Amino acid sequence: MKTCNNCLLDENYPQISFNENNICSLCESKKIYKPFGEEKLLDILQWAKNKNAEYDALVPLSGGKDSTYILHLAVNIYKLRMMAMTYDNGLFSQFAKDNIERAIQITGVKHFNNH
Ligand SMILES: [Zn+2]
């Protein structure tokens, strides 16, 4: 059975084809991800700041490391006026709730949640 030398999809995949180097048509057509970079981010943040609203941005806060880190970056590094928001679906662990509480306390941002 023919398989792609890059991704290991085989010839049973619908509408797949292979080139002479056994690279599949999906691998050949994929676009290379090119990040916009921090300069573009800074432009967007400045645009938000220029609006001069009560808040520059909203962070959906789950208590996990990703959203907590974003909140840290927004407040401490990019100096944004932030609001955090949590939608508690009833499945949050006490650990996550404690993290949220701590993050709100440390950053001092306004926090909106559904409880
Ligand atoms: Zn492939």
Side-chain angles (χ1 to χ4, degrees):
M1 180 181 296
K2 204 178 250 191
T3 58
C4 176
N5 283 342
N6 189 44
C7 70
L8 303 179
L9 278 180
D10 64 44
E11 61 193 354
N12 290 324
Y13 194 86
Q15 301 181 342
I16 199 169
S17 62
F18 295 87
N19 71 14
E20 64 280 4
N21 298 317
N22 267 353
I23 303 296
C24 77
S25 46
L26 282 86
C27 283
E28 287 220 300
S29 65
K30 78 177 178 195
K31 291 189 171 110
I32 304 296
Y33 173 70
K34 189 169 176 264
F36 290 112
E38 190 180 30
E39 201 163 302
K40 180 66 179 167
L41 174 64
L42 293 174
D43 285 349
I44 294 168
L45 298 182
Q46 192 57 53
W47 170 81
K49 286 178 179 178
N50 288 348
K51 287 185 151 192
N52 222 13
E54 190 173 352
Y55 301 101
D56 297 325
L58 173 76
V59 170
L61 190 61
S62 69
K65 64 181 184 290
D66 296 327
S67 61
T68 305
Y69 185 62
I70 293 296
L71 184 62
H72 156 71
L73 285 178
V75 171
N76 298 318
I77 305 302
Y78 296 117
K79 309 295 184 197
L80 297 169
R81 292 163 297 182
M82 295 302 300
M83 178 186 271
M85 175 270 206
T86 301
Y87 178 77
D88 185 350
N89 57 9
L91 301 174
F92 276 49
S93 68
Q94 191 56 49
F95 188 73
K97 290 176 184 175
D98 291 346
N99 281 346
I100 291 168
E101 187 67 34
R102 218 171 16 253
I104 296 304
Q105 227 166 32
I106 290 170
T107 58
V109 300
K110 172 122 173 112
H111 183 226
F112 174 82
N113 68 38
N114 58 315
H115 285 279

